Structure formats: C-alpha cells, structure tokens
Amino acid sequence: VAAWRWLRGAARPVRGGSMRGKTVIITGANSGLGRAAAAELLRMRARVIMGCRDRARAERAAREIRAEVGERADGAGELVVRELDLASLRSVRAFCHRVLQEESRLDVLINNAGIFQCPYMKTEDGFEMQFGVNHLGHFLLTNLLLGLLKNSAPSRIVVVSSKLYKYGEINFEDLNSEISYNKSFCYSRSKLANILFARELARRLEGTGVTVNSLHPGIVRTNLGRHVNIPLLAKPLFNLVSWAFFKTPLEGAQTSIYLASSPDVEGVSGKYFGDCKEEELLPKAMDDLVARKLWDISEVMVGLLK
C-alpha cells in the first residue's frame, strides 16, 4: 500500500496553459482543494484572489503559498486575500462590490468553498447552512460577477460539486430543511443544486464567451469532514485508510485547475468532469425543468428578485 501510494503521489500534476495576465477568484482558498488550486495557478502566473471567511487564516495560507512557489523576478503571478463569508449575503455583496471596483477583468471564477454534514445550523440570512453556503452563497456571488466575466470573455466558471449528488433530491417544499433535517442528505442536495445551477447557467450564457462546468474532485484528505464524528478507537484506522486511498488536496484539485486553465476545454460548457475527463450524470442532474425552477426560487431567496 505504501509503495502504491508513493507511486500515485509521484504522478505529475495536470498543467494547463499559461495564466499570465489572467485574474482568478477561488472561494475557500485558504485550505484543502482551494489552497492547492491557488498555489498551482500562482505557479502558472495568474493573479489569484483568495475569497475566504477567516482573513487571518487566509493571510497565513497566502504567506505559506508564496514561500512554496517563490517570488518571480518578472512580477508575474500574485496572491490577493479578500474577506468572503458565503454564509452571509451581506458579505457576498460587499466582496463583489470591492471586486467590481478594483478589478478590470475576471477570467476565472472557481466556486470551491463548502461545508460538509454539519449539525443543523442557519446562515446569517436564515438558510440551512449547507444549502446556504454550498449553493445560495455561490449563486449570488456568480450572478453579481457575471457582468465582469462577460466583459472579460473568453472566461470560465468552475463549480466544485461531489459524486454524493447522487443521493440528493431537490425538495421544493422544504429547501430550508425546516420540516426535516438529515445532514448527509442535505449535503447531497446542495451538491445536486451545484450541478443544476451550472447547467442552467451554461444555457443562459450561450454565445457570451463565458463557459460553465461542474466537477467532482474525488475523496480528498481535507478538513471538510471536520463535522463528522469518528470514534476515538477508530481514528488510527481511519487515518491509515485515508492516507493510503484518499487523494491529497493537490490531486483532488487537478480537475479544477484543468477546467480553469487548459486549452483542451476552451469553449466547452455545461459539462460535468472527474479526473479531468467528462463524465455522465444521472437523469435527475440533467432535469432542465428542475434546474430552471431552482434558479427562479434561488433568485428570490438571495434577493435578486422580489
């Protein structure tokens, strides 16, 4: 197992084209998949804006990434930290207002941040936390930045979902989980919502030069599972299994990096990827009527429409 793990870890990361002169926003970029993607895109000379809830942790991560990647003499590549709490629509609006004031272009938006199987909690605006952060926060963020993305075309939107979408259903009678709450089901529902959102957005953006694709990163060793309770006696075994078989954050971030930078997917939109390859979706994730209804309701929930 150790030899297999070493050989898998020795594989070269997928690299796209140069990102010099391009601006990328990554949500949740201070740890896990987002941090790994930020480091790789910085290596490719992108200007990376890290949208993070905890500014102190984000600044620390940015310092560590700069130390890992190294400063370039030509000044290409830059990390910028901006506060963004996806559990607060007020914070999302403030973040977007600042981006629109300060940035002349936006080439890539990576909707990466997420919360996984947390106890029942509500966002600042009263939404169930997983649906509020994973779907609604990113829904508002993307819509507020669409104008800048269109003006910067060709540009790309990358939506990080999960294979666990297969276990979710969009229940329009209880989107806020006030009738019943199951933390696993609600996570899966939020990830299904991510895919439906990406498909509907891709349809709406046809002909604009802005592409939208969703992905699953695989099972990755990150702090996303901090709300999952593992018995104390089982932790050593779990740690061994995760070390042997789970992806590292860099391995898990490869599809995000690929969709953000590779010329192979230029012009490709409305698709779902895993391991840098297009994959098939279950019919419920391709239901355009549900996708449109979810879009309409989400617009009202985040205040884009009365």
Side-chain angles (χ1 to χ4, degrees):
V1 170
W4 173 82
R5 185 69 191 83
W6 181 84
L7 288 170
R8 192 173 68 130
R12 289 179 60 84
V14 173
R15 293 287 172 87
S18 172
M19 296 293 285
R20 182 168 186 163
K22 295 187 176 182
T23 298
V24 181
I25 290 177
I26 307 176
T27 65
N30 61 286
S31 64
L33 299 174
R35 185 190 185 285
E40 287 302 296
L41 290 167
L42 181 65
R43 282 192 177 93
M44 296 160 68
R45 305 190 175 192
R47 171 180 166 81
V48 180
I49 300 173
M50 304 169 64
C52 304
R53 179 176 56 85
D54 189 322
R55 187 177 183 90
R57 289 179 58 196
E59 293 285 6
R60 184 165 61 249
R63 289 193 297 270
E64 293 169 354
I65 292 171
R66 292 187 190 104
E68 292 170 14
V69 175
E71 299 291 340
R72 293 186 179 273
D74 58 8
E78 182 183 8
L79 276 183
V80 180
V81 173
R82 295 286 180 263
E83 187 173 332
L84 171 63
D85 183 358
L86 290 159
S88 164
L89 299 184
R90 174 184 51 81
S91 176
V92 173
R93 291 181 184 277
F95 172 85
C96 292
H97 179 73
R98 184 169 183 180
V99 167
L100 295 175
Q101 280 191 321
E102 297 179 350
E103 304 298 329
S104 61
R105 64 180 302 108
L106 176 58
D107 300 276
V108 182
L109 170 63
I110 303 180
N111 290 337
N112 164 82
I115 188 166
F116 177 72
Q117 294 192 9
C118 62
Y120 187 76
M121 298 185 287
K122 288 188 175 181
T123 68
E124 178 180 287
D125 305 279
F127 305 126
E128 186 275 312
M129 186 64 71
Q130 295 187 87
F131 190 75
V133 170
N134 298 352
H135 171 60
L136 291 175
H138 283 121
F139 179 88
L140 179 61
L141 175 78
T142 305
N143 274 281
L144 294 179
L145 296 177
L146 272 184
L148 185 56
L149 284 158
K150 290 177 181 177
N151 292 337
S152 308
S155 54
R156 306 180 184 190
I157 300 170
V158 179
V159 179
V160 179
S161 183
S162 166
K163 270 190 174 181
L164 292 176
Y165 84 87
K166 297 177 180 180
Y167 306 103
E169 300 290 341
I170 303 297
N171 178 7
F172 289 109
E173 302 304 316
D174 191 27
L175 282 178
N176 213 33
S177 302
E178 293 176 336
I179 298 174
S180 64
Y181 179 72
N182 178 289
K183 62 183 182 180
S184 299
F185 168 81
C186 286
Y187 177 76
S188 296
R189 178 167 63 188
S190 72
K191 295 290 103 178
L192 175 58
N194 288 157
I195 296 171
L196 291 168
F197 164 59
R199 285 180 61 84
E200 175 62 11
L201 181 58
R203 185 187 70 81
R204 291 170 179 253
L205 291 176
E206 286 179 4
T208 65
V210 184
T211 61
V212 191
N213 292 290
S214 59
L215 68 104
H216 75 86
I219 305 176
V220 187
R221 294 197 310 275
T222 70
N223 64 354
L224 187 65
R226 60 188 177 276
H227 294 293
V228 178
N229 293 318
I230 300 172
L232 184 62
L233 293 177
K235 280 189 176 181
L237 178 60
F238 176 80
N239 291 336
L240 177 62
V241 170
S242 65
W243 173 81
F245 299 107
F246 290 10
K247 291 182 177 180
T248 66
L250 178 58
E251 290 168 340
Q254 289 309 301
T255 306
S256 295
I257 298 164
Y258 173 75
L259 291 175
S261 63
S262 176
D264 294 345
V265 288
E266 186 174 344
V268 176
S269 192
K271 306 299 182 182
Y272 173 74
F273 287 79
D275 292 326
C276 301
K277 297 176 183 178
E278 186 181 337
E279 294 192 357
E280 293 294 323
L281 286 164
L282 294 180
K284 65 181 175 182
M286 297 187 290
D287 190 324
D288 291 335
L289 290 177
V290 172
R292 291 176 193 181
K293 185 175 181 179
L294 178 64
W295 181 285
D296 292 342
I297 292 175
S298 298
E299 280 187 315
V300 176
M301 293 179 80
V302 302
L304 290 174
L305 288 179
K306 298 293 185 184

